[in-house]
Each structure stands twice: as structure tokens, then as C-alpha cells.
Amino acid sequence: SRFFVLQSIGPTGFILRDEGDQKFKACIGAQHSCSCGRCGDEHCVHTAFVLLKVLKVPPDNPLCWQSSLTDGEISDVLATRQRDVE
């Protein structure tokens, strides 16, 4: 599936749209969440998309596969993303 970012809700929340025009709200943080309802102990495709493609966490980085992130880990991910943008 292909996803598109429609809107950013703060630094770690995103409204996504899939190819079928269905919208999802995916948030990364102390507990990852998604409006698809499939996000629990493991990532759903939407939270994985946010981490891998939007926030550009490399797939070999353990943060990419954790089911939650600490405030420090979130800061590191956001700082890396900001450096990539500049």
C-alpha cells in the first residue's frame, strides 16, 4: 500500500491517506497509536510508515521496531529528521 501525509499534528502525529482515500491518524510516542485499531504490541503499517518514511528512522535502527519511545528517543528521532531537512 502507498500512503500520503495529509497533515502533521504536532511533531509526532500525522493524518495519512491510503490509495483508497481512507484516512488514518497515526501517532508515535510513549505508546504508538493509530485509528486503524491494529496498533498494539506491534506496529501497524501506518506507524511503521511514519517511522520509516516520514521520520526517516533507518530500518536497522532498533527504535524503528520498538512499540514505544521515550521522550529522549523521540527527541533524537526528531533531531535527525531536522538535520536531514536542512
Side-chain angles (χ1 to χ4, degrees):
S1 291
R2 290 177 41 169
F3 299 105
F4 306 93
V5 176
L6 296 180
Q7 182 180 355
S8 177
I9 306 168
T12 60
F14 300 89
I15 302 293
L16 308 175
R17 178 180 60 83
D18 66 10
E19 293 172 307
D21 280 338
Q22 191 169 4
K23 293 181 184 177
F24 303 94
K25 178 181 176 184
C27 298
I28 304 302
Q31 182 175 4
H32 301 330
S33 64
C34 184
S35 62
C36 74
R38 293 185 209 119
C39 198
D41 290 338
E42 295 185 7
H43 289 285
C44 67
V45 294
H46 309 105
T47 56
F49 172 80
V50 167
L51 282 165
L52 290 166
K53 300 297 184 179
V54 179
L55 299 176
K56 299 187 183 332
V57 177
D60 59 344
N61 186 325
L63 296 179
C64 201
W65 306 110
Q66 292 178 194
S67 59
S68 63
L69 299 177
T70 66
D71 289 344
E73 291 168 337
I74 292 169
S75 294
D76 291 346
V77 167
L78 295 175
T80 301
R81 180 182 185 214
Q82 185 61 35
R83 279 195 300 271
D84 288 347
V85 170
E86 295 171 351

